[in-house]
Amino acid sequence: MTEPAAPTRNADAGVSGVPIVLDEVTKIFPGQDTPAVDRVSLELPAGRTTVFVGPSGCGKTTTMRMINRLIEPTSGTITIDGRDNRELDPDALRREIGYAIQASGLFPHMTVAQNIATVPKLLKWKKRRIAERVDEMLTLVGLDPADFRDRYPAQLSGGQQQRVGVARALAADPPVLLMDEPFGAVDPITRAALQDELIRLQDDLHKTIVFVTHDFNEAVKIGDRIAVLGPGSSVLQFDTPESILSHPADDTVAGFIGDDAALKTLTLRTVGDVALGEAPTARESESPHAFAGRLRASPDEWGVVLDDAGRPARWVRGDRVESMPDLRSGGQPVGGHVTVDSTLQEALDGLLSTASATTVVVDSSGAYRGTISIDDLVDELRRIKHHHAGAEQGSGPA
Ligand SMILES: Nc1ncnc2c1ncn2[C@@H]1O[C@H](COP(=O)(O)OP(=O)(O)OP(=O)(O)O)[C@@H](O)[C@H]1O
Ligand SMILES: [Mg+2]
């Protein structure tokens, strides 16, 4: 297997991350005979997100905490950007490694601003620089600084706490970010939103992120690389999500993925990646007569009426339009929609939960971009399966 993309992307000016190398790292906790982590060797590429996924108790947290030396290895070495982490002083470790954990781990007696300021303060930044950084971080994770900086953690929702946890981990602009099930404690919808947020941040920041999860779908969605770990953190497979899904190393990995590998690849593609349907559209101000004409000339049975801002408002049926007094009412509200950034998995979930065969697609401003249907998703699944079969011949990625 070759990796044509890796060196060029790592050479990007935008990459702020650094490589982390674990070499034969072992941890035996006092009083135990079996190692919690047994001779693990892994090279985590700079500027990429590597996900550790594996069953409870397999040593994910222990492995991660040895990177920032919250746990000292019994043997083996860990280098960060080529330097042995035992030679880095505590300040350097805090500067270089951000840490976010499940349930956010915020200090309850400190405000949001004080929480985010923790590491900059330890590093003795000037007050003004800290205050600016706090606001910058809150904005980055999608929270309004004026509204949130003086609140206490108990005055935040679970998802907001997680966002502050990520803001705190990023505050000193560390090249490395360790995230231990950071979104484990929130509901599935908030979780999906936080995952999207992390992907967006990482597109800009290019940190070296180590992300621990139990959830293989989450691993596939956010990982550039996935390390599937077994007992003692033994590395069962370390590869891209696509390769693991299409070529699981053994039965254990295959079992972990489940038997819907092609389905899971739906989390790898977004709605914007597929050809969207082009249902005819009309503005509310247009005459029903003109729209009826366009609909007759189209193979589509339904058209979409857009409001003045170009946002989809209602579905109307071609054979009913002519008799409508105007396009400002009537028809059926579009109900749910997906965005071009939604994964195909989310689009499928949306279609299945609304029980309609087609849904409208909007861009980030809410403007109409097209439609997507169950049939489009089924076609895409067929292509994915076909592609995986083709990849066996060694033809390489398209
Ligand atoms: N401080 C400790 N002292 C003794 N044993 C420990 C200690 N911390 C962890 N262990 C043991 O080491 C093993 C690995 O634990 P670890 O927390 O790394 O697992 P994990 O993969 O993160 O699990 P989970 O998915 O449940 O968080 C477990 O068997 C655990 O009981
Ligand atoms: Mg753990």
Side-chain angles (χ1 to χ4, degrees):
M1 274 287 206
T2 53
E3 287 188 330
T8 41
R9 182 161 162 195
N10 286 351
D12 279 355
V15 173
S16 66
V18 295
I20 301 172
V21 180
L22 284 73
D23 186 21
E24 296 272 307
V25 176
T26 294
K27 177 67 187 183
I28 305 173
F29 284 107
Q32 313 238 310
D33 356 294
T34 44
V37 174
D38 193 6
R39 284 167 297 150
V40 171
S41 297
L42 273 174
E43 293 187 20
L44 313 181
R48 301 296 191 90
T49 302
T50 298
V51 180
F52 292 173
V53 60
S56 183
C58 76
K60 303 180 295 294
T61 296
T62 305
T63 303
M64 173 174 270
R65 286 164 74 99
M66 287 192 285
I67 295 173
N68 63 356
R69 289 181 57 201
L70 287 172
I71 294 175
E72 295 289 344
T74 308
S75 62
T77 54
I78 297 176
T79 59
I80 296 166
D81 203 16
R83 285 164 307 161
D84 191 322
N85 73 348
R86 284 168 297 197
E87 285 154 21
L88 296 169
D89 64 55
D91 269 3
L93 277 172
R94 286 195 199 105
R95 208 167 32 234
E96 300 202 4
I97 306 178
Y99 188 48
I101 57 173
Q102 182 168 8
S104 82
L106 298 177
F107 304 120
H109 58 289
M110 290 190 193
T111 64
V112 163
Q114 287 165 340
N115 266 286
I116 296 173
T118 310
V119 175
K121 223 169 148 183
L122 286 167
L123 299 174
K124 304 201 164 49
W125 287 18
K126 296 231 157 53
K127 268 203 168 128
R128 180 155 165 209
R129 183 173 168 211
I130 293 179
E132 285 170 1
R133 187 67 178 166
V134 165
D135 286 3
E136 189 187 342
M137 288 299 100
L138 282 171
T139 308
L140 189 71
V141 298
L143 297 174
D144 176 13
D147 192 1
F148 285 94
R149 67 167 92 82
D150 296 322
R151 294 205 206 179
Y152 286 88
Q155 299 167 319
L156 304 175
S157 73
Q160 289 163 348
Q161 288 184 30
Q162 299 287 356
R163 285 167 193 262
V164 175
V166 172
R168 182 175 65 174
L170 286 169
D173 198 20
V176 176
L177 198 57
L178 306 181
M179 309 182 84
D180 195 349
E181 305 200 42
F183 310 145
V186 294
D187 64 89
I189 292 169
T190 307
R191 188 176 178 135
L194 289 168
Q195 291 164 347
D196 292 342
E197 201 76 8
L198 181 67
I199 292 167
R200 186 184 63 74
L201 285 177
Q202 175 67 337
D203 276 348
D204 291 341
L205 301 177
H206 302 293
K207 305 284 183 192
T208 304
I209 298 180
V210 187
F211 189 107
V212 167
T213 183
H214 280 99
D215 176 354
F216 199 78
N217 287 314
E218 182 168 69
V220 167
K221 182 170 172 186
I222 68 158
D224 297 309
R225 294 279 188 291
I226 297 175
V228 185
L229 303 179
S233 277
S234 55
V235 182
L236 303 180
Q237 189 164 10
F238 182 43
D239 212 327
T240 60
E242 291 88 340
S243 299
I244 291 177
L245 285 168
S246 54
H247 302 102
D250 58 27
D251 289 348
T252 314
V253 177
F256 207 77
I257 296 169
D259 49 14
D260 55 348
L263 265 178
K264 285 201 170 69
T265 62
L266 288 179
T267 61
L268 291 168
R269 286 174 172 70
T270 63
V271 170
D273 294 336
V274 302
L276 299 178
E278 296 171 355
T281 60
R283 291 301 174 114
E284 287 176 323
S285 51
E286 282 185 60
S287 82
H289 178 72
F291 193 29
R294 287 213 295 288
L295 275 162
R296 267 194 301 276
S298 140
D300 290 274
E301 195 184 344
W302 292 79
V304 182
V305 177
L306 309 180
D307 70 12
D308 293 336
R311 292 177 301 227
R314 285 179 310 282
W315 289 105
V316 291
R317 247 177 78 168
D319 57 357
R320 306 263 172 85
V321 176
E322 194 83 65
S323 60
M324 290 167 64
D326 59 49
L327 294 178
R328 295 193 181 278
S329 57
Q332 294 176 14
V334 293
H337 60 243
V338 300
T339 77
V340 286
D341 298 322
S342 305
T343 65
L344 295 182
Q345 180 67 53
E346 287 157 356
L348 182 62
D349 290 346
L351 282 163
L352 294 176
S353 66
T354 57
S356 62
T358 304
T359 188
V360 293
V361 178
V362 298
D363 64 19
S364 52
S365 71
Y368 177 80
R369 288 281 296 275
T371 63
I372 191 162
S373 69
I374 297 255
D375 287 345
D376 295 332
L377 291 171
V378 171
D379 286 349
E380 188 62 20
L381 262 176
R382 279 208 193 93
R383 265 193 293 277
I384 291 167
K385 283 195 166 158
H386 182 76
H387 176 80
H388 282 168
E392 303 275 357
Q393 322 308 327
S395 53

